[in-house]
Amino acid sequence: MGFFRRGEKRLIGLDLGSSAVKAVEYTDYGDRLVITGFSLKAVESKDLLDQAIRDCIAEGNFHTRDVAVSLSGRGVVVRFVNMMKMDDDELESAVRYEADKYIPFELSEVMLGCQRLEGVRDATMSEKEMKVLVVAAKRELVEEVVEMTKRIGLSPVVVDVDLFALSNAYEMKQRLGPKMETGDKVDVLVDVGANKTSVAIVKNLTLHFAREFYIAGNDFTDAIARRLGLDLNEAAELKQNPAGREMEIEDAVQQVLADFANEIRLSFDYYESQYEEEVDEILLSGGGARLYGMSQWLEQAFGKRVTMWDPFELMEVDETSVNPEAVARNAPRLVVAAGLAARVRG
């Protein structure tokens, strides 16, 4: 992969969000995993993304140029499909042959991957079937992000998908814990970005369901700005720190929040109907999840525990190069970057 040096492995997880570039470097010393670099820079406009990445990398005290980046959006398709059992060497050919069933693009336009999900079975499957994860990404998107990182002087060694990075961050946290949770608890990871929200449902550290929808942080900001007659910067600040205007904020975002919850409910309903079991807990992350009152509102809507989670809670921080307070303060926004950096351990 190109990132082994002096018995250590280092990798930067680089999350190219629409509102901010976030980068976290993990160093794997074999017996422990350490955060050895961190930076976050706002993206003022799409035209300034290159500069935001340059500034982010320049200010992060990083020790490598190797990065893992990810894709998301409508140019990426993730499907969980039931297929007849077969050997791995047959699986890729079968998926390519039946690709038009799973992806809305021409096969020549995409990079296609698949993976057997061991131990994952839903209520609709026969004994002769297996669950397969199928992923397709527009080739031009992959090439664009690879060229962008190379142009800036970085070495892209992994191109991932946001949904998988979200799941990987969760898995890494569980594996670093004193007692790894391997029971039947079903956790729903909801990462709320500026323009899109990612939902990943995980059981036994295995991804069982994943999707994106396009109600997110900017929609809450827009609703507040319209209702209260504020500019977007004022609304963005107020949605996190209401400063005595809590009732106005709740009223302004009520409809958007209801639509947001309905999208999450669609994911619940699909999972619960397929697997005939209920989800247990919602774990929130992302900058958009810092909306005042979101956790409490979702708890009331779903009757489930809702918490903001920290992917770094159990990790060591190298304080010679990283400000641990800055990492902790921004942790919910860094989940995708954390999941990308976790690729340092494969």
Side-chain angles (χ1 to χ4, degrees):
M1 299 290 288
F3 50 87
F4 293 85
R5 287 167 175 70
R6 299 184 302 277
E8 304 165 0
K9 294 186 289 182
R10 303 183 192 273
L11 185 64
I12 300 170
L14 183 62
D15 177 11
L16 305 176
S18 58
S19 66
V21 174
K22 291 143 281 188
V24 176
E25 179 187 82
Y26 283 179
T27 297
D28 184 2
Y29 292 100
D31 60 340
R32 70 193 204 281
L33 197 63
V34 182
I35 301 171
T36 52
F38 158 70
S39 185
L40 183 153
K41 297 296 291 187
V43 177
E44 301 299 334
S45 72
K46 187 174 181 180
D47 293 339
L48 297 176
L49 178 59
D50 274 27
Q51 190 57 51
I53 300 171
R54 292 180 194 276
D55 292 343
C56 185
I57 296 300
E59 297 174 14
N61 294 322
F62 299 112
H63 304 79
T64 183
R65 309 297 282 182
D66 295 334
V67 298
V69 293
S70 58
L71 304 171
S72 64
R74 293 179 172 86
V76 180
V77 176
V78 176
R79 297 283 186 268
F80 296 78
V81 301
N82 298 340
M83 299 183 67
M84 299 303 294
K85 290 180 179 178
M86 64 187 74
D87 295 334
D88 287 343
D89 57 358
E90 301 175 296
L91 179 58
E92 184 173 350
S93 296
V95 168
R96 295 186 70 85
Y97 182 75
E98 299 184 354
D100 59 337
K101 293 182 181 180
Y102 313 128
I103 60 174
F105 312 124
E106 292 294 328
L107 193 57
S108 61
E109 298 177 353
V110 301
M111 299 184 73
L112 185 67
C114 58
Q115 180 179 329
R116 177 199 309 265
L117 296 178
E118 299 290 351
V120 177
R121 299 194 60 80
D122 68 37
T124 71
M125 296 171 67
S126 72
E127 290 300 318
K128 296 180 179 181
E129 290 181 308
M130 61 181 181
K131 185 73 72 175
V132 177
L133 174 61
V134 178
V135 187
K138 281 288 194 73
R139 190 176 300 274
E140 61 183 1
L141 292 179
V142 178
E143 293 172 349
E144 180 181 335
V145 74
V146 167
E147 288 306 311
M148 179 189 300
T149 50
K150 286 183 175 179
R151 186 167 63 241
I152 291 165
L154 301 172
S155 176
V157 297
V158 176
V159 179
D160 210 332
V161 173
D162 277 11
L163 289 164
F164 301 158
L166 178 60
S167 173
N168 287 341
Y170 171 87
E171 180 180 347
M172 181 62 76
K173 179 178 177 180
Q174 299 302 323
R175 291 190 181 281
L176 291 174
K179 293 183 179 180
M180 189 174 72
E181 293 186 12
T182 56
D184 290 333
K185 185 167 180 281
V186 179
D187 283 332
V188 182
L189 314 178
V190 180
D191 189 64
V192 190
N195 294 319
K196 56 95 177 169
T197 296
S198 301
V199 178
I201 300 182
V202 182
K203 178 183 176 183
N204 295 330
L205 300 188
T206 300
L207 186 64
H208 282 57
F209 174 85
R211 68 179 283 251
E212 292 178 343
F213 63 86
Y214 297 94
I215 302 172
N218 286 348
D219 297 291
F220 298 117
T221 303
D222 291 344
I224 294 168
R226 287 194 305 269
R227 178 63 64 90
L228 303 185
L230 304 173
D231 67 34
L232 292 178
N233 289 332
E234 292 172 325
E237 175 61 28
L238 201 63
K239 76 177 180 180
Q240 298 177 43
N241 304 296
R245 305 182 71 176
E246 288 83 359
M247 294 298 292
E248 292 177 89
I249 298 302
E250 290 178 8
D251 185 56
V253 303
Q254 184 176 23
Q255 185 57 57
V256 179
L257 201 49
D259 294 340
F260 177 84
N262 284 337
E263 290 290 342
I264 296 175
R265 193 180 301 281
L266 287 174
S267 299
F268 282 15
D269 290 347
Y270 179 83
Y271 176 85
E272 292 176 351
S273 66
Q274 288 288 107
Y275 290 91
E276 296 185 342
E277 59 187 9
E278 292 189 10
V279 301
D280 295 303
E281 184 174 358
I282 301 172
L283 302 179
L284 284 178
S285 60
R290 296 186 296 177
L291 171 71
Y292 168 78
M294 177 182 278
S295 294
Q296 294 85 345
W297 197 94
L298 292 176
E299 280 191 345
Q300 292 176 1
F302 293 106
K304 309 207 181 271
R305 185 183 179 197
V306 179
T307 57
M308 292 284 283
W309 69 289
D310 178 355
F312 310 122
E313 184 180 7
L314 303 171
M315 287 193 64
E316 179 182 348
V317 178
D318 182 353
E319 297 187 21
T320 64
S321 58
V322 178
N323 180 342
E325 294 179 357
V327 170
R329 184 170 62 252
N330 290 285
R333 301 180 66 188
L334 302 174
V335 171
V336 170
L340 292 171
R343 287 287 199 149
V344 75
R345 285 192 167 175

